[in-house]
Amino acid sequence: MRETERRFRPEIQGLRALACVLVVVYHVWLGRISGGVDAFFLISGFLVTGQLFRAASRGRIEFRPMWGRMIKRLFPAALTVLLLVIAASTVLLPQNRWFQTIKEVVASALYLENWQLAADSTDYFAQHNSASVVQHFWSLSIQGQFYVVWPLLVGLVLLIAKKAGRKVLPLLITTLGTVFAASLAYSVWLTAVDQPLAYFDSLTRAWEFALGGLLALVLDRVEVPRSARVVFGWAGVAGLVSCGLVLQVGTVFPGYLALWPTLSAALVILAGDTAFKAGADRFLSSRPLKYLGDLSYALYLWHWPVLVFYLVARDREEVGLRGGAVIIALAFALAVLTHHLVEKPVRASAIGARTRWGAYRFGVATLAAVLAATGAWQWVSVSQAGTYSIAVDDPDHPGALAHTDGFKYWGAADAALVPSFVAVSEDWAGIDPARCGVSPRNADLEVCTSQTSGHPTRRIVVTGDSHAGQFLGALLPVAEQRNWEVTSILRGGCPFSTDSDAVPGDQACIDWNSAVVDEIVTARPDAVMTIGTRDVRTGVEERVPGGYIAQWRKVDEAGIPVLAVRDNPRFDQSPSACVESRGTQAPECATPRYDLYAAEPPYETLADLPSNVRFLDFSDYFCTAEVCPPVIGNVLVYLDDNHVSGTYMSTMSAIADKAITEALGWADEQTQEPPPGG
């Protein structure tokens, strides 16, 4: 097997270079994903499994020196890039992206970025974060986990073979075949059920490594005619190049479709050295590709941060041909410097050669440097975020009250905006998580309940998606003053409806909504508050989906009133981020009101609405008569491109109090003291 691997190494080096080039070009110029990462996984499985099998054949796997070599090979370039990314981010990155980036830098340094992104993929609120500068570390994290787990798996097979008196190879092939089949089946299932989670889950990718490992174990035993190998080689290259053009890799992988790039890479390896002048191996083993293969790790590390920083610095959503060329050239230059000044010197050094744990001490030291730098950045971010609260009738930060009739501004015109740009992206409203739990009637429902003083005077359920949840910022101060009990039952991206209006065909959302209705009917609150319209955005007509009305009718049958709130605007960019980069008065940060809201709400023309529905329209507090601005009353209105900040919502509490109590006929009920802003 050693001779086989030596014979195939030039082609593998070229294959690695090709996969890297495809990743970079697709990311930078096409804004797509190529499938090259899947080829990386197969190559890693092929090389590492071959090395481990040779060690197992000798009867022993030396774990400590093997992992030490991996530390020397992986840590220097990766942690150098992370350190420089931290430094550049503090200068170039908008402050509203700092906290998310800090979180992901730590996850990347610990080779857990894929799980961080997997958690964010199931956290609807995190999906609105802009792509971080280290998002590409997800694949490196999976590879790092593979380098730890795979030797242990092969070591376990070796131990079992020794105990059972069996040969290692058949048992290892059986084991990897089982891993391949189980992981691929799980990948296909999870991709169909929850593709964003499946994309980053390590277990859905294990079969790609296993496929490479199986190829390493059987390659010596496969005889393929040279003519067929020539075809295999070019077919594999063509498959890799075309994968990202034909498939929307980012939205359909991994699943069975990931067999396309992995089998393409396998064909290239299987082709090997054809000794044919027109063979793909002649191209892959050329000197430029071999050198590019040496740079591939550093180039992959650098291309994504350079791309993100370029887009931020130029305030663009995509790059053109010239900009892409600049990005690729800069990433290549940084890769060359990193390879020759960091990677090669460390690999050639005596680190780990003189002492048993030298490489590990080196790894801990470099990792500690990144974590220390991240900790310092976190401290600075928290300091700049500050702690603040808007007092009753704050003269400098009236927020939504600035849009009330007869309002006269009495504070400083140049008062600082709140929340700070560092904190705004985290400014979600909600009930204290300590008061949340699973419904005793349905384990799929998370139910959060506000605290009251004794028996509540009224009970309100807020349900639906995150846009319903954001109104807790306005409702909770009212509830505290009036001693109402507020219960939230929310699911991101899942409005209160009989259909899956946000994500068509989302059966889990439909099932969740059915359970919510049962929960509400059982609890019999005094009112249900939810979102009543949809698609308040440029180029789309606001509407009341039929599924909303059908859901309200179910609640009507139980005699429970529904407060249906007209939705807030959605934008193509984050208004707060626009303000940070261009200023409060920049006209491009505001959107004409007529582009978002029609003069007449869509529910005004609907017939046969359930009698229990009361509509609340707060559009005048998100927009003036002409525009929907990013700042109102010195308060940032939005935390991302479509969610209202909790701080701004808190300034709407008096407004919400009046609207809710009048709509439900509770206006004459006394409060313990005036609500904030009242």
Side-chain angles (χ1 to χ4, degrees), residues 11 39 49 99 130 139 226 233 244-245 252 268 277 297 311 325 375 405 418 428 439 466 517 532 541 564 569 666:
E11 289 73 29
T49 303
F99 280 126
S130 299
S139 62
R226 189 178 76 162
L245 293 174
V252 299
V268 173
K277 289 184 178 181
Y297 180 51
L311 293 173
D405 293 337
V418 295
W428 296 96
S439 165
S466 57
V517 169
E541 185 176 358
W666 301 347

Side-chain angles (χ1 to χ4, degrees), residues 620-642:
D620 287 343
Y621 302 100
F622 299 127
C623 306
T624 67
E626 294 80 26
V627 299
C628 299
V631 177
I632 297 176
N634 285 335
V635 179
L636 292 170
V637 182
Y638 302 95
L639 62 87
D640 57 21
D641 61 1
N642 72 103

Side-chain angles (χ1 to χ4, degrees), residues 504-520:
D506 185 356
Q507 187 61 43
C509 174
I510 295 173
D511 294 342
W512 179 86
N513 264 305
S514 178
V516 170
V517 169
D518 292 341
E519 184 79 12
I520 290 172

Side-chain angles (χ1 to χ4, degrees), residues 183-445:
S183 173
L184 180 57
Y186 174 66
S187 181
V188 171
W189 173 80
L190 189 59
T191 300
V193 172
D194 190 343
Q195 189 273 333
L197 173 61
Y199 195 86
F200 300 115
D201 192 325
S202 300
L203 297 179
T204 63
R205 302 285 183 166
W207 67 266
E208 299 177 319
F209 296 98
L211 181 58
L214 289 169
L215 184 61
L217 296 176
V218 304
L219 193 60
D220 280 341
R221 294 158 180 78
V222 176
E223 291 291 339
V224 181
R226 189 178 76 162
S227 58
R229 288 193 284 119
V230 171
V231 174
F232 285 176
W234 283 117
V237 170
L240 283 174
V241 172
S242 63
C243 178
L245 293 174
V246 177
L247 301 176
Q248 287 287 352
V249 173
T251 58
V252 299
F253 270 35
Y256 66 89
L257 288 174
L259 285 165
W260 183 323
T262 50
L263 289 179
S264 296
L267 285 175
V268 173
I269 295 175
L270 188 60
D273 182 5
T274 64
F276 185 63
K277 289 184 178 181
D281 54 297
R282 187 72 173 263
F283 161 68
L284 293 174
S285 59
S286 63
R287 183 172 297 178
L289 275 186
K290 287 169 64 177
Y291 180 66
L292 194 55
D294 291 335
L295 297 179
S296 60
Y297 180 51
L299 180 59
Y300 180 83
L301 286 169
W302 275 118
H303 86 282
W304 186 259
V306 172
L307 171 61
V308 173
F309 285 135
Y310 176 89
L311 293 173
V312 170
R314 299 296 300 274
D315 193 19
R316 294 183 177 180
E317 294 295 325
E318 57 185 23
V319 300
L321 185 63
R322 183 181 302 176
V326 171
I327 292 169
I328 293 174
L330 180 55
F332 182 80
L334 290 170
V336 170
L337 291 174
T338 303
H339 178 66
H340 289 285
L341 300 181
V342 178
E343 287 186 289
K344 289 183 70 175
V346 172
R347 290 183 192 179
S349 70
I351 295 173
R354 297 176 181 174
T355 60
R356 292 171 57 87
W357 301 100
Y360 293 85
R361 286 195 292 269
F362 167 76
V364 170
T366 52
L367 179 59
V370 172
L371 296 180
T374 309
W377 188 15
Q378 173 79 3
W379 181 82
V380 171
S381 301
V382 171
S383 299
Q384 292 196 23
T387 56
Y388 65 90
S389 60
I390 297 179
V392 175
D393 294 334
D394 183 338
D396 290 335
H397 301 98
L401 293 175
H403 280 196
T404 54
D405 293 337
F407 174 80
K408 294 182 179 180
Y409 188 69
W410 59 88
D414 59 349
L417 300 180
V418 295
S420 68
F421 290 118
V422 175
V424 67
S425 62
E426 305 289 325
D427 192 23
W428 296 96
I431 297 173
D432 183 355
R435 300 191 58 81
C436 298
V438 176
S439 165
R441 288 172 286 274
N442 194 307
D444 292 331
L445 302 182

Side-chain angles (χ1 to χ4, degrees), residues 43-66:
I43 293 169
S44 295
F46 177 82
L47 294 175
V48 173
T49 303
Q51 295 167 5
L52 291 170
F53 176 71
R54 290 193 298 273
S57 298
R58 295 192 296 268
R60 184 178 182 183
I61 298 175
E62 298 285 349
F63 293 100
R64 180 188 55 77
M66 177 188 61

Side-chain angles (χ1 to χ4, degrees), residues 458-463 496 520 524-530 551-564 610-615 660 663-666:
R458 294 288 185 181
R459 294 184 301 121
I460 297 179
V461 171
V462 178
T463 189
F496 190 55
I520 290 172
R524 302 194 68 81
D526 295 291
V528 171
M529 188 173 183
T530 190
Q551 194 79 319
W552 301 339
R553 191 164 281 116
K554 290 182 180 181
V555 178
D556 185 32
E557 293 172 358
I560 302 171
V562 171
L563 293 168
S611 60
N612 66 327
V613 180
R614 313 287 188 270
F615 287 99
I660 292 171
L664 295 174
W666 301 347

